[in-house]
Amino acid sequence: FKNVILFFVNSNSYDYIIAGGGMAGLSLAFHLNESVLREKKVLIIDREEKSSNDHTWCFWESGRSAFETIVFHKWKKLRFYDTEGKELSLDLAPGGLEYKMIRASDFYSLVIPRLRSNSSIEFLKAEIRGVGNGTVDTTSGRFEARELVFDSVTLPNYDDPGDNNLLQHFYGRLIETDTDVFTPDAATLFDFRVPQKGDCRFVYILPESPRKALVEYTVFSDSILSEEEYEEGLNDHIRDVLGIVNYRSLEVERGVIPMSDAVHETNPSARVVRIGTAGGYVKPSTGYSFGRTQERLEKIVNALEVGDAIPDFRSIRGKWKMLLDSVFLNVLGTGKHEPADVFARLFRKNSPEKVLDFLDERTGLAGDLRLMSTVPLSPFTKAAFEELVRTVFRRRR
């Protein structure tokens, strides 16, 4: 009887449990599997098996990443259109940068079989009901982590009125035309030739051939739109701006990404570490997360390998970088200045590599100040003052 109990306890006990098998959870397992920790007993819990092309992740970098073999397409040129239709061409080649795209289906096809080939890693298809200090409750029972639970499912509410809370929401289609329409060596990062309607709205185009591209209607606002509004905005742009009448829709992509300066509780207890969106890995002012997630997870695995503490990424970022995000969100969310003009000034008055380094938080104070001097002074000064006051107010609470 004791042996049966011991077997049951041990079968529900792991070195690490990863709660959530999305991009962040699978990436962590991937990096663990590539490290000296690959023999650690790991359980990955998610409510569904991943295989479909449910996401597209983009990021910029120089050189090769850990997922270089599955980069679906890359661009060395970016395009920008302001609200008046003026085009700005951005050449990334001089800085050695490339804008890269990874399809979720390719990511799952690479990562999941590699993880399944390791007998120390197990998958569990179950609903996660709660994450405790070293435990995960699911519809299939409770599981315990001897060392750590990595939680990618417990998100803040993003409803504190004291925070800047926006959403990046989008609806896109992979379309194919009968004639050559797209320029496959240039991605359109922002096309503001759409009615702004009091928000920040633009179209994002990732061409993979002269006749095929992912075209997404994207909005930064505090609430999502109806299905009809996304459809109308995308259809109008494809027809009236891109001049495409006849095309086929091959795939549909939709999503909602939090853009918030809310404080993420990254270590809610001694044996829980939150990762991905739950850990605050999404860049608040842009919504980008893939590159930041890989960089942070690699640092976590490196720390685990040598027995160091998990890095405190908020401290590493510093208060200055967090303030910059808050100021940007303040301007975008309060209508202090037209968002399209803010982005236009950034890209017109700075080299693309400087802007992208700034967005990646790879610039120092002097570089940040030089770049910030190119945005509209009055609204950003007002926003900075409001954010500083808000910070002081919070400390007194």
Side-chain angles (χ1 to χ4, degrees):
F1 182 69
K2 289 182 179 178
N3 289 337
V4 172
I5 293 177
L6 287 173
F7 174 78
F8 178 77
V9 171
N10 289 335
S11 66
N12 278 25
S13 181
Y14 296 82
D15 294 308
Y16 303 127
I17 296 178
I18 299 174
M23 184 268 286
L26 291 175
S27 294
L28 173 61
F30 176 87
H31 293 302
L32 286 169
N33 191 51
E34 298 292 308
S35 76
V36 299
L37 303 170
R38 71 181 319 273
E39 294 184 2
K40 291 283 189 178
K41 194 176 180 184
V42 178
L43 178 65
I44 304 168
I45 307 172
D46 199 273
R47 63 185 177 185
E48 59 186 15
E49 296 178 4
K50 306 291 186 180
S51 61
S52 65
N53 191 46
D54 54 358
H55 289 86
T56 298
W57 297 296
C58 289
F59 57 102
W60 51 84
E61 68 174 356
S62 58
R64 297 173 62 84
S65 70
F67 299 103
E68 192 68 27
T69 58
I70 56 168
V71 170
F72 184 76
H73 202 91
K74 59 180 72 173
W75 298 268
K76 293 186 178 181
K77 295 180 181 178
L78 299 176
R79 284 177 172 169
F80 180 100
Y81 294 91
D82 65 17
T83 54
E84 297 177 354
K86 295 178 182 177
E87 178 184 352
L88 180 64
S89 182
L90 308 169
D91 188 0
L92 302 181
L97 289 171
E98 292 178 309
Y99 193 68
K100 300 181 179 182
M101 168 184 170
I102 289 178
R103 290 161 55 91
S105 55
D106 296 329
F107 176 81
Y108 301 143
S109 295
L110 170 74
V111 172
I112 294 176
R114 194 172 294 188
L115 298 178
R116 289 192 183 279
S117 69
N118 183 347
S119 60
S120 297
I121 299 175
E122 297 179 24
F123 286 80
L124 174 66
K125 184 178 178 181
E127 290 279 350
I128 296 171
R129 290 175 168 170
V131 176
N133 185 21
T135 62
V136 180
D137 286 312
T138 78
T139 49
S140 295
R142 171 176 288 190
F143 298 85
E144 181 179 359
R146 290 185 286 270
E147 296 186 39
L148 290 170
V149 171
F150 293 97
D151 177 11
S152 67
V153 298
T154 306
L155 301 176
N157 292 325
Y158 299 118
D159 59 0
D160 188 333
D163 298 326
N164 290 292
N165 294 308
L166 291 177
L167 299 171
Q168 178 180 151
H169 42 111
F170 52 88
Y171 172 82
R173 297 196 210 105
L174 178 64
I175 67 172
E176 185 175 43
T177 63
D178 294 325
T179 59
D180 292 354
V181 173
F182 304 106
T183 306
D185 67 342
T188 299
L189 200 59
F190 293 101
D191 187 342
F192 283 106
R193 293 176 293 178
V194 297
Q196 295 298 292
K197 299 183 179 181
D199 299 318
C200 176
R201 303 188 181 205
F202 58 92
V203 169
Y204 176 60
I205 304 175
L206 300 177
E208 58 184 75
S209 75
R211 300 187 181 191
K212 190 183 293 186
L214 176 64
V215 185
E216 289 192 345
Y217 184 77
T218 307
V219 184
F220 295 171
S221 68
D222 58 5
S223 60
I224 62 174
L225 309 180
S226 67
E227 192 76 17
E228 293 74 22
E229 287 179 280
Y230 293 113
E231 286 274 3
E232 181 182 0
L234 184 61
N235 290 339
D236 287 351
H237 194 83
I238 292 174
R239 181 188 63 245
D240 301 335
V241 178
L242 302 182
I244 301 172
V245 178
N246 298 314
Y247 65 90
R248 292 170 295 283
S249 293
L250 306 179
E251 294 178 2
V252 172
E253 176 175 290
R254 52 172 60 84
V256 180
I257 301 171
M259 298 174 64
S260 173
D261 58 5
V263 176
H264 290 74
E265 194 175 10
T266 55
N267 297 102
S269 57
R271 288 194 290 158
V272 175
V273 176
R274 290 184 180 151
I275 61 173
T277 303
Y281 290 9
V282 176
K283 171 74 172 168
S285 56
T286 66
Y288 279 94
S289 64
F290 189 87
R292 288 162 65 89
T293 296
Q294 304 309 322
E295 183 178 323
R296 293 185 179 192
L297 294 178
E298 287 182 21
K299 289 180 179 178
I300 286 175
V301 172
N302 290 340
L304 292 173
E305 285 183 308
V306 297
D308 286 347
I310 300 295
D312 180 357
F313 296 112
R314 284 183 59 83
S315 295
I316 293 172
R317 286 190 72 207
K319 294 179 181 179
W320 168 247
K321 295 294 187 185
M322 290 187 281
L323 174 63
L324 288 178
D325 271 331
S326 294
V327 170
F328 262 88
L329 289 175
N330 182 305
V331 173
L332 292 177
T334 61
K336 285 183 171 63
H337 195 83
E338 186 71 28
D341 184 58
V342 173
F343 287 108
R345 293 190 190 206
L346 278 175
F347 282 103
R348 281 202 187 104
K349 298 182 179 182
N350 302 278
S351 67
E353 57 266 23
K354 286 184 179 179
V355 176
L356 297 181
D357 280 347
F358 171 75
L359 296 178
D360 260 349
E361 300 180 355
R362 300 186 189 281
T363 48
L365 177 61
D368 290 341
L369 291 174
R370 280 195 297 271
L371 191 137
M372 291 297 293
S373 69
T374 63
V375 299
L377 181 61
S378 177
F380 273 82
T381 300
K382 291 178 182 177
F385 177 76
E386 289 174 3
E387 293 308 313
L388 288 170
V389 170
R390 182 169 69 96
T391 300
V392 172
F393 223 24
R394 274 187 160 178
R395 286 177 183 168
R396 290 179 178 177
R397 286 195 305 186

